[in-house]
Amino acid sequence: MEQTNPTPVPAWPASAAVVGAGTMGLGIAESLATAGVPVRLAEETAELGRAARERLLARVRGHVAAGLLPPEALDRAGAVEAADAATAARGVDLVIEAVPERLDLKRDVLAAVAAAAPPEAVVATNTSSFPIDDLAAAVARPERFLGTHWFNPPEWTPGVEVIPGAATDPRIVDRVVAFLAAIGKRPAVVRSGPGFVANRIQNALFLEAVACVEEGLASPREVDEIVRGTFGFRLPFFGPFQIADMAGLDVYADVLATLERGLGDPFRVPALLRSLVEGGRIGTKSGAGFYAYTAEEREQLLGERDRRYAALAALLAGLPPITPPPEGEGR
Ligand SMILES: NC(=O)c1ccc[n+]([C@@H]2O[C@H](COP(=O)([O-])OP(=O)(O)OC[C@H]3O[C@@H](n4cnc5c(N)ncnc54)[C@H](O)[C@@H]3O)[C@@H](O)[C@H]2O)c1
């Protein structure tokens, strides 16, 4: 695999603390440290912090050895300092909390790091599920607090949901978005609601996948194959709205009407879709759907779609299978 070039060191933060060095915290720390941000990595105690630092170095060493990171990433990771949770936030510009998803624990840790951090510091939580305002209540300066929801594995997954609370200063949101983009992430600002956006959609997909198995339509292997090989094949390039625009919103409305007859209310044609169709906005073929397209943009989009699909098909054809063999096969 090709080595990636190190991204330029972002102007802000001058230093950061990652508190909680498990599955997510280690990868978040790796993302920051290898981008050149001086990082303090904290666990509950300094001793646990030192062990976490060793795990981080081993992980970066592995990524360098595999050719996934350039050799200088190891020097950058070597500059990471170990700390305990109580002192990690002292003097840093940014704290990212990634302790286990327990409300009482998160509140305690956030209160402690917000108290130890300088007044101008930004404090972020990596919560996957708690409303941001429930956690904001624990910190001294809620206007400088927000959610940054990374995805596993954080060092490779580009998307990060940025979730302001009711009190978050919009300039802080802009600053965090700019920072994440500067280290090569693809942040998107979303409002706080159950599961935010990604987990809500991901779980809707998962529930339907399980239902297809429970109803005997397909085995888990067949469902995985269909998802990966059909609409999932498009997802590295397009989200659901652009995909719907290219398919035709009128077609979507007709298909949903059949699904609603068979599967009930969750599949009813949404009012937003109905109003677009009634207004003649049926996607790329009409010049507008969820997005608007000039004739030239439409041609460019469809040409680029074909180019990317062909490139992805070629990439996938050259990779070995990753799904485990059926029970008893190949073991
Ligand atoms: N695992 C995922 O796929 C995933 C994805 C997105 C978000 N999240 C969220 O990220 C957060 C962390 O999840 P995880 O999967 O990394 O959990 P984890 O259990 O792997 O890691 C949590 C770490 O926090 C440490 N910790 C516990 N108490 C602490 C304290 N008082 N001070 C400092 N460190 C302490 C633990 O020792 C552990 O190393 C959770 O809020 C979770 O919901 C997880």
Side-chain angles (χ1 to χ4, degrees):
M1 206 165 288
E2 271 178 40
Q3 289 186 353
T4 49
N5 288 323
T7 45
V9 178
W12 181 93
S15 61
V18 177
V19 180
T23 303
M24 298 304 291
L26 274 187
I28 293 169
E30 178 174 357
S31 299
L32 269 58
T34 57
V37 177
V39 171
R40 208 173 278 154
L41 182 61
E43 280 275 290
E44 190 170 2
T45 65
E47 193 187 344
L48 289 171
R50 283 191 289 277
R53 181 180 180 277
E54 289 310 311
R55 286 199 299 280
L56 176 65
L57 291 183
R59 180 182 178 121
V60 174
R61 215 174 283 125
H63 288 152
V64 170
L68 304 179
L69 286 174
E72 54 267 36
L74 200 48
D75 299 332
R76 288 180 167 186
V80 169
E81 292 174 8
D84 61 87
T87 60
R90 284 189 195 152
V92 301
D93 287 341
L94 171 67
V95 183
I96 301 180
E97 167 275 309
V99 301
E101 191 80 349
R102 296 205 322 263
L103 190 59
D104 53 345
L105 174 66
K106 282 209 185 278
R107 281 168 171 271
D108 287 350
V109 169
L110 285 167
V113 299
E120 67 279 8
V122 172
V123 178
T125 173
N126 190 48
T127 182
S128 337
S129 65
F130 296 131
I132 295 305
D133 286 332
D134 286 2
L135 296 172
V139 301
R141 288 171 288 277
E143 66 279 9
R144 305 185 75 81
F145 175 74
L146 77 179
T148 55
H149 184 212
W150 299 59
F151 290 78
N152 192 31
E155 66 274 35
W156 305 123
T157 313
V160 181
E161 292 181 311
V162 175
I163 315 130
T168 312
D169 182 337
R171 288 169 301 182
I172 296 297
V173 179
D174 291 347
R175 187 185 297 177
V176 169
V177 165
F179 158 64
L180 290 167
I183 64 167
K185 295 296 172 190
R186 296 202 347 231
V189 180
V190 304
R191 280 181 51 199
S192 184
F196 309 129
V197 170
N199 274 337
R200 179 167 171 175
I201 294 176
Q202 181 172 257
N203 282 291
L205 168 70
F206 181 64
L207 290 179
E208 286 304 320
V210 173
C212 287
V213 172
E214 285 181 342
E215 291 172 25
L217 295 179
S219 67
R221 176 177 299 270
E222 287 158 344
V223 171
D224 277 352
E225 190 55 28
I226 289 162
V227 170
R228 292 174 58 226
T230 60
F231 64 87
F233 176 81
R234 305 168 179 144
L235 294 178
F237 309 111
F238 304 109
F241 293 110
Q242 241 184 325
I243 290 171
D245 271 1
M246 286 187 280
L249 302 189
D250 51 340
V251 178
Y252 262 51
D254 289 343
V255 170
L256 275 171
T258 306
L259 289 178
E260 184 183 356
R261 280 193 294 278
L263 296 168
D265 204 41
F267 287 87
R268 74 182 177 280
V269 182
L272 175 57
L273 183 63
R274 196 178 306 115
S275 82
L276 286 170
V277 172
E278 284 168 2
R281 290 180 64 120
I282 56 171
T284 49
K285 61 191 172 189
S286 71
F290 288 103
Y291 298 88
Y293 315 82
T294 62
E296 198 185 356
E297 284 164 351
R298 175 183 174 278
E299 286 318 302
Q300 208 260 337
L301 169 68
L302 298 181
E304 187 58 25
R305 174 195 67 182
D306 292 348
R307 203 175 71 78
R308 291 180 187 211
Y309 285 176
L312 180 59
L315 173 71
L316 293 175
L319 293 173
I322 199 169
T323 311
E327 288 283 318
E329 260 180 51
R331 303 261 162 119

